Amino acid sequence: MLNSLSGRFLILTTIFVMLAEILIFVPSIARFREEYLQNRLERAQIASLALLADDMITGELEEELLTNAEVFNVVLRRDEVRQLVLATPMPHPIDATFDLRDGTPPVLIRDAMMRLVEPDNKIIRVIGAPTREAGLLIEVTMETAPLRDAMLDYGVRILVLSAVISIFTAFLLFLAVRAILVKPIRGVVGHMQRYAAAPEDARRIITPNAGVTELREAEEALRSLQTELIAALRQKDRLAQLGSAVSKISHDLRNILTSAQLFTDRIEASEDPLVRRMAPKLVNSITRAVHLCESTLAFGKAEEPSPTLMMVTLDDVVADVLDSERLAVDPDQLVLSENIPPLFSLRADPEQLFRVISNLVRNARQAIVASGAPAEITVSAYEDADNWWVEVADTGPGLPPKAQEHLFTPFQGGVSKGGTGLGLAIASELIRGHGGALELDRTGPAGTVFSIRLPKGDGI
């Protein structure tokens, strides 16, 4: 009960209603005391009328009148004359005097609380105004025990009534909360549990139907989450199947390229000057293709090899990249250039760095060729105190907004038609393996700039 929402709501409602009743009880008991004293003044005034009608009354009648009024004596002031109308001996001296004519709420509450906590029976004087203007004031003396007993009886009745009201109110709220909140929440929890048992079953997606705005928003958010999760699980399955197929293709392609690599050894022995000049580049391209197949197999197993770091002359790597790309472009449409300081060296894995720069240059070249407008691609480098920086900049058409949203996400960041979006994802992962970062600096109609940051420190 204590751990349930409705149970705690029931208990808290009961407590809060009781607190509210207690706040009401304090002024109520003060008001009861005032009315009790005022009632004794009225009784005393009525008793004094017998004496006003007949100046001579017997002692027995006087005692009976005071007993019925529950006072010891009555003093009435009429025409500026203070007159003791009725009197009997008092058992104790007067302890305190209370004037009801000028009693403010704080004073009445204070006096009532003091009377409740004071158990001793005492004699008090009470002063008030006579009813129907039958004089200037009326004054009586009385005991406090009957007053306190009446106040306690009234307080108990008020507290019992408050308890009944609070419990009844809390029970009604308990039923309302169970119907309005707890039952719909349990329904949402039930949907979540059934969905967790089979998250790929679209039939288990929740249908929002709550009448409470907050619960309906929660149901709509859950439906959106379930829909996205089902799509993600389906994509995961497709990617797993695709990864398995790519691994098999890469395995077979590696074997084919290995065989082709053996034939290039004979090509290098050719006497044709053009063949001898082109053969090394062909050998390097086939070697890199073999390495790429091996890396693809490793990527499919989530085992991208760690970089073998060494000091690399950047100009040699960039020259190989640009020479390979020049074979595929018209020099009148695309200019490939480099702006690298002489003997500029950095610490990196040469094969992985080649793959990253080649991917960036190839993407830029494909975008420029697709646009049909002349442009230029420039690879530049510089360094600061903490990092080496390599920039690949082009004056092409820029990246479309959709490609920018998932630029480094596998199978989602492809720009060219038919592209898989793996290139930049793999390149970013390779640079992260160096402890650096691959970032898009800017893109737009004026061109695109990618920057590669490689740290100089050892990461300690």
Side-chain angles (χ1 to χ4, degrees), residues 405-453:
E405 295 177 2
H406 307 284
L407 197 58
F408 300 106
T409 304
F411 302 103
Q412 296 188 28
V415 178
S416 60
K417 183 178 180 180
T420 62
L422 272 176
L424 286 176
I426 295 175
S428 177
E429 181 179 344
L430 293 177
I431 295 301
R432 287 198 305 271
H434 287 68
L438 172 62
E439 298 176 349
L440 173 64
D441 280 352
R442 60 184 180 275
T443 185
T448 302
V449 178
F450 282 92
S451 65
I452 302 171
R453 179 182 60 82

Side-chain angles (χ1 to χ4, degrees), residues 325 329-336 364-365 368-369 374-377:
E325 293 297 326
V329 298
D330 183 356
D332 294 333
Q333 181 185 7
L334 177 61
V335 177
L336 299 170
R365 186 252 301 170
I368 291 171
V369 171
E376 180 179 2
I377 300 175

Side-chain angles (χ1 to χ4, degrees), residues 267-276:
I267 295 177
E268 288 183 309
S270 175
E271 298 297 333
D272 189 333
L274 179 60
V275 173
R276 292 177 62 87

Side-chain angles (χ1 to χ4, degrees), residues 74 102 136 145 242 267 269 296 356 373 417 448 451:
V74 179
D102 54 0
L136 298 178
L242 179 60
I267 295 177
T296 302
V356 173
K417 183 178 180 180
T448 302
S451 65

Side-chain angles (χ1 to χ4, degrees), residues 348-360:
D349 184 310
E351 289 300 323
Q352 293 188 2
L353 183 62
F354 177 90
R355 290 169 58 187
V356 173
I357 297 176
S358 177
N359 181 274
L360 296 175

